[in-house]
Amino acid sequence: ATVSVLYWNVMVSASLVRYAPRLLILAGLLTSASLLSFGSGREGDSRLISPIPEVPKKPEVSIIPSQEPRHVESNAAECIDYLFEGTQCLSKGTTLPKQCSFEFDNGNMKMDFCNRTDRCAQYAGGNYLPHPTKCPEKVTNRCKYNDITTTSLEKGSWDDSHSEFSIPGCNLKTHTRTEIIKMFKGKTILVTGDSMMRQIYLRIIDGLRGQKYHIEHYYHTNSYYAASETEDILVVGSHVTGESPPVTIPNMLFEMYYFWDHHPTKYTTVFEIIKPDLHLASFMYWWKGKEPFSDIDQYLKTIVNYAKKRGPPYQYYYINTPWTKKGTFGGVEDERRIPRNTYTANLLSSLSEKATVTNTKLLDFATYAAVRTFNKTPDGIHYMCIWRPGFPKQIKVKDSKFKPDGCRDPVGGNWVRILLNVLDSS
């Protein structure tokens, strides 16, 4: 029998997970130090149904007069020093801008400082990290597609803990699960591309599930995801064809497909069958070496013609290729990658203008990923941790030693955050 395996660090207890007959997906319940997995069956029956965890409420925090602080920081007048002592939030000064709050983050605490969530007030390594010397200018306007340009992304920055990306001049909202579901409600979403696009697809699912760590088992095939208010389901296998949903759940709110589509000369036209409302696509690292840029011409012509035929209900975004280490995966070096990204962007813009369509756009992942070159997985390509188990033998990792704190995937998470801001404003 063929076994397909997928790991999820789903934050629910094992007793809440229901397993369908002939279970095919190997599912992981991942906490900071545990992994629960099982599964067998035929490819056509792979599925995992899991309840959506509720987001825990923040505890009440009392504010008490300052005691002798272990850390003193001199800040601008508009900012006030805070000090954490156990579960108490202590203030240095006689006035408070707002009641401060905290939440536990892997044993450390973070707080609302200068009216924003700021990890610079985090307690780590026995010391309180310094506060900013000046509160940032409050930005009220939400980031829209026209705000997220190559120039604005180049000027973007990461916070001190390298967990949150910001763009000057607009506010990148962090959407809650409820807001994401409201945005996607009633829609069909299609993601096509190689493993980089698969990780974006999985990162959207992780956001809906409220997961803290992000680990995938790679698969070069199709998959299907659907969610309701109380549960979701993920199906992986070549039996996901797009002709009809492979499974159903009661009161489904939206559905999302992923199709393995790795080279522009062999592109899928499954979008004509599925008729998605949103289509995210790319060709990244399998389109490599000295293969001609014109390989993508016919694909983009097909997409633009379809977009014109469908009209505004169909929204298409092409995501360009970020950097890789030199010599990685057969050759997508900068001297090829950068001109190819430029060629693709110009061609998509030109075809769209000629066809007078406005629903085919580019998202500049390459510029965003270059602002700070985060470490990738040992293959030099991916940002999300990857498991490669030998089933049914004992699970072992071939690519990297698993450390939960190292699998937070800030690059993928903030890229999906940017994507959701674009979609929320379109």
Side-chain angles (χ1 to χ4, degrees):
T2 301
V3 179
S4 295
V5 187
L6 181 66
Y7 285 88
W8 294 104
N9 57 347
V10 185
M11 297 191 299
V12 293
S13 67
S15 61
L16 295 179
V17 183
R18 302 204 312 265
Y19 295 92
R22 299 182 297 166
L23 181 65
L24 178 59
I25 288 183
L26 176 62
L29 175 62
L30 190 64
T31 64
S32 61
S34 65
L35 177 70
L36 176 64
S37 61
F38 32 67
S40 63
R42 295 182 302 162
E43 183 182 41
D45 298 310
S46 61
R47 67 177 70 185
L48 165 67
I49 303 179
S50 60
I52 299 293
E54 293 185 1
V55 178
K57 294 182 179 179
K58 292 184 179 180
E60 294 292 330
V61 180
S62 60
I63 301 175
I64 63 176
S66 176
Q67 299 173 5
E68 185 64 23
R70 288 178 290 166
H71 165 79
V72 177
E73 183 72 19
S74 189
N75 296 308
E78 61 265 46
C79 291
I80 296 179
D81 254 336
Y82 286 110
L83 176 67
F84 289 116
E85 184 74 41
T87 58
Q88 301 291 323
C89 180
L90 308 180
S91 118
K92 179 177 178 291
T94 57
T95 59
L96 293 170
K98 267 192 174 182
Q99 179 167 320
C100 61
S101 62
F102 74 88
E103 59 181 310
F104 284 97
D105 183 7
N106 193 32
N108 299 321
M109 288 180 281
K110 57 187 178 181
M111 57 177 289
D112 187 354
F113 185 72
C114 297
N115 301 332
R116 68 169 189 169
T117 299
D118 200 319
R119 292 168 180 80
C120 61
Q122 184 173 323
Y123 181 82
N127 296 299
Y128 290 95
L129 305 183
H131 300 292
T133 56
K134 185 179 180 181
C135 290
E137 182 180 347
K138 190 172 182 180
V139 179
T140 56
N141 60 304
R142 292 269 302 282
C143 291
K144 301 179 177 62
Y145 176 78
N146 289 336
D147 299 315
I148 304 171
T149 63
T150 296
T151 301
S152 66
L153 288 170
E154 285 175 341
K155 295 178 180 179
S157 61
W158 291 86
D159 65 1
D160 292 340
S161 63
H162 303 144
S163 58
E164 190 169 290
F165 186 79
S166 60
I167 296 175
C170 67
N171 176 36
L172 275 175
K173 176 182 173 62
T174 300
H175 289 79
T176 65
R177 175 184 173 273
T178 300
E179 290 169 332
I180 297 172
I181 286 181
K182 183 179 179 181
M183 194 188 314
F184 289 170
K185 187 174 181 180
K187 293 183 178 179
T188 297
I189 301 163
L190 173 63
V191 180
T192 58
D194 61 13
S195 56
M196 290 293 288
M197 293 303 294
R198 183 185 67 234
Q199 288 199 349
I200 291 173
Y201 165 82
L202 296 176
R203 207 56 172 78
I204 295 172
I205 296 172
D206 281 5
L208 288 161
R209 290 177 163 179
Q211 294 177 201
K212 188 174 183 179
Y213 304 116
H214 311 282
I215 306 165
E216 69 149 347
H217 181 283
Y218 72 95
Y219 54 91
H220 291 178
T221 188
N222 309 330
S223 61
Y224 174 84
Y225 174 82
S228 71
E229 288 285 358
T230 57
E231 63 182 358
D232 64 358
I233 184 167
L234 176 70
V235 181
V236 178
S238 58
H239 61 291
V240 179
T241 62
E243 295 286 348
S244 61
V247 290
T248 57
I249 58 174
N251 304 312
M252 183 185 76
L253 296 174
F254 72 93
E255 59 184 355
M256 183 163 58
Y257 289 87
Y258 165 75
F259 271 72
W260 174 257
D261 193 23
H262 65 285
H263 200 282
T265 60
K266 304 172 184 177
Y267 63 89
T268 179
T269 56
V270 71
F271 49 86
E272 296 178 344
I273 300 172
I274 294 176
K275 295 181 174 55
D277 302 285
L278 170 66
H279 184 179
L280 308 174
S282 186
F283 300 104
M284 294 192 185
Y285 300 124
W286 289 78
W287 182 22
K288 56 190 176 181
K290 295 183 179 180
E291 294 173 333
F293 298 165
S294 57
D295 279 356
I296 202 169
D297 289 9
Q298 186 56 49
Y299 167 77
L300 287 180
K301 289 177 183 177
T302 302
I303 286 292
V304 170
N305 288 337
Y306 178 75
K308 185 176 181 65
K309 179 181 177 181
R310 276 285 307 277
Y314 175 70
Q315 295 292 325
Y316 174 88
Y317 293 93
Y318 186 88
I319 298 174
N320 63 9
T321 306
W323 67 276
T324 57
K325 292 181 180 179
K326 192 173 180 63
T328 297
F329 203 62
V332 192
E333 313 294 355
D334 281 357
E335 57 266 26
R336 297 288 299 173
R337 179 184 64 85
I338 294 173
R340 192 180 75 186
N341 280 344
T342 301
Y343 178 88
T344 303
N346 291 338
L347 179 61
L348 180 61
S349 176
S350 174
L351 291 172
S352 300
E353 185 177 353
K354 288 179 181 178
T356 63
V357 299
T358 59
N359 51 338
T360 52
K361 299 176 181 178
L362 180 91
L363 288 173
D364 193 355
F365 190 14
T367 298
Y368 157 76
V371 172
R372 183 182 186 275
T373 52
F374 283 77
N375 290 333
K376 293 192 174 187
T377 53
D379 61 17
I381 297 174
H382 301 95
Y383 289 105
M384 184 186 288
C385 288
I386 301 173
W387 285 88
R388 292 184 175 175
F391 188 84
K393 298 179 180 179
Q394 184 177 358
I395 294 168
K396 57 184 178 180
V397 182
K398 296 179 181 178
D399 277 350
S400 60
K401 185 177 180 181
F402 170 64
K403 295 180 179 180
D405 283 348
C407 292
R408 294 178 182 268
D409 184 23
V411 175
N414 279 273
W415 181 247
V416 169
R417 185 165 154 254
I418 290 172
L419 175 63
L420 291 174
N421 276 262
V422 169
L423 299 179
D424 201 14
S425 61
S426 61

